[in-house]
Amino acid sequence: MFEGQSLFVMLQQEEEAIQVYRIETTQQAQVEVGLLLSDAAAVFVNHKQPIAFDGGYKPEYDEMLVIPGFKLSSQIVQALKDPIGVAAFIPDPKQQPVIKAIFTGRHTVVNGKEQLVVAFQKFRKEQYITTRKGISLFHSKETFTMDDRFGICITDAVDCVVVNDELRFSSFFFARQVFDLSEYFREATDTDVESFMKHSKINIEDASIFKINADSWVRRKIAIIDESRILDKYKVTEIKHKAQAFGLTITAVKNKIHFPNDKKELKNILKFLDDEIYKGVFSEQILQTNSKRKAEI
């Protein structure tokens, strides 16, 4: 798939700007890296079942999430079209570069139509090979020798693949570190959190603590609950009654749902409002899930 294709690095520049550089390698290294990433990317191209990404489902091992209509930056596409025209990556010996990701891919034209397959690997801190905070020793001919050259490690993992105009990935956590996916995944902003706290059917025990507890997970739940309009569709008494059927106690203060300071209790209420607490059909046990999508029956 990527045998003999050029390897590129995405560097994080100032003000969130991304710059693409070509990693100049020996021919043998280019072939080996291409084979390594081809094998890792193949599962996203041929073997995993696609599931439309909606922000609420965690895929199984044999599934992948997909975002259709995804547009790669022109900088990345141009790099694949004209690798030689991309400046070579020359690290500054005085400052460790901030590498966001590495990628390789293939650009072809079939019947006048562009075809793209690009594999991206989120670059982790442990992939730097550097002596900035120590001494690197490499074993050769029964002896460890010191080497102060800058280096990077390419692993056998691919975090996301773009096939034409479709982004495919298994972990949104890593995919969002490669690309800005904010338009596909909404988390409540500070303004949204404030609005949620002031909802006519919500009572917050302590506003400052609620804001501290409002991590990424909580903000996503707030956004989903806002979009579902559950609080507008049901009375507080109805919500309390439904919660009791699942063994969940929701306290009402002045006919408002009380959100306590305890983060575990807070999350349980949010899970319930987002349909993540349910009763087993046969066991009749009260269960909870951290992933869901509409059933295809």
Side-chain angles (χ1 to χ4, degrees), residues 97-110:
V98 180
I99 300 177
K100 190 178 184 71
I102 63 99
F103 70 93
T104 188
R106 181 181 293 276
H107 172 273
T108 56
V109 178
V110 179

Side-chain angles (χ1 to χ4, degrees), residues 53-55 57-59 65 67 159 167 169-187 216 220:
F53 174 73
D54 66 1
Y57 181 71
K58 292 184 179 180
L65 299 172
I67 295 178
D159 294 299
L167 176 63
F169 55 95
S170 293
S171 169
F172 179 74
F173 176 78
F174 288 119
R176 74 187 300 189
Q177 294 182 60
V178 177
F179 300 109
D180 178 7
L181 300 178
S182 56
E183 65 178 286
Y184 306 101
F185 179 89
R186 194 174 86 79
E187 288 183 353
S216 179
R220 177 56 183 162

Side-chain angles (χ1 to χ4, degrees), residues 36-37 40-41 102 120-122 124 154-160:
L36 182 72
L37 296 180
I102 63 99
F120 295 85
Q121 181 180 108
K122 161 62 184 170
R124 282 79 163 167
I154 308 300
T155 72
D156 62 351
V158 164
D159 294 299
C160 45

Side-chain angles (χ1 to χ4, degrees), residues 15-265:
E15 299 180 355
E16 301 299 316
I18 299 296
Q19 185 65 46
V20 172
Y21 292 94
R22 176 172 45 85
I23 299 179
E24 191 70 38
T25 66
T26 64
Q27 184 175 1
Q28 180 183 358
Q30 188 174 26
V31 171
E32 292 295 330
V33 171
L35 288 171
L36 182 72
L37 296 180
S38 292
D39 289 342
V43 296
F44 289 100
V45 178
N46 303 314
H47 305 299
K48 288 181 179 284
Q49 178 187 354
I51 305 293
F53 174 73
D54 66 1
Y57 181 71
K58 292 184 179 180
E60 300 293 340
Y61 178 76
D62 60 346
E63 298 173 332
M64 64 181 174
L65 299 172
V66 299
I67 295 178
F70 183 80
K71 188 175 181 180
L72 273 176
S73 74
S74 58
Q75 189 177 181
I76 293 174
V77 175
Q78 185 58 34
L80 297 172
K81 289 181 177 180
D82 181 24
I84 302 302
V86 180
F89 172 45
I90 302 176
D92 184 346
K94 297 181 181 180
Q95 183 176 4
Q96 182 169 280
V98 180
I99 300 177
K100 190 178 184 71
I102 63 99
F103 70 93
T104 188
R106 181 181 293 276
H107 172 273
T108 56
V109 178
V110 179
N111 297 326
K113 187 176 181 180
E114 287 189 332
Q115 302 288 319
L116 279 175
V117 180
V118 197
F120 295 85
Q121 181 180 108
K122 161 62 184 170
F123 201 83
R124 282 79 163 167
K125 290 183 179 180
E126 60 268 22
Q127 289 178 251
Y128 288 104
I129 303 174
T130 175
T131 60
R132 283 174 62 87
K133 294 184 179 180
I135 296 174
S136 295
L137 297 177
F138 293 88
H139 188 261
S140 177
K141 298 179 181 179
E142 301 182 353
T143 303
F144 282 92
T145 58
M146 185 171 66
D147 197 325
D148 61 357
R149 292 175 296 175
F150 174 84
I152 59 174
C153 174
I154 308 300
T155 72
D156 62 351
V158 164
D159 294 299
C160 45
V161 173
V162 172
V163 179
N164 298 324
D165 64 347
E166 184 175 81
L167 176 63
R168 305 177 180 182
F169 55 95
S170 293
S171 169
F172 179 74
F173 176 78
F174 288 119
R176 74 187 300 189
Q177 294 182 60
V178 177
F179 300 109
D180 178 7
L181 300 178
S182 56
E183 65 178 286
Y184 306 101
F185 179 89
R186 194 174 86 79
E187 288 183 353
T189 63
D190 289 344
T191 301
D192 293 331
V193 172
E194 288 281 359
S195 178
F196 182 80
M197 292 168 59
K198 295 176 181 177
H199 192 283
S200 61
K201 293 180 183 177
I202 288 179
N203 175 78
I204 304 297
E205 181 172 348
D206 188 306
S208 61
I209 294 178
F210 185 87
K211 291 177 182 178
I212 293 173
N213 287 335
D215 56 18
S216 179
W217 186 94
V218 170
R219 287 172 181 265
R220 177 56 183 162
K221 290 302 174 195
I222 289 175
I224 292 173
I225 293 166
D226 278 345
E227 290 169 0
S228 70
R229 301 186 66 82
I230 289 294
L231 295 174
D232 298 322
K233 294 177 181 177
Y234 295 92
K235 298 178 181 178
V236 173
T237 52
E238 292 177 310
I239 294 173
K240 281 187 62 179
H241 179 71
K242 290 178 180 292
Q244 288 172 356
F246 293 98
L248 177 66
T249 300
I250 289 183
T251 303
V253 176
K254 296 181 180 180
N255 201 33
K256 296 182 179 182
I257 298 173
H258 180 67
F259 283 81
N261 292 336
D262 184 84
K263 193 169 186 178
K264 182 179 179 180
E265 293 181 25

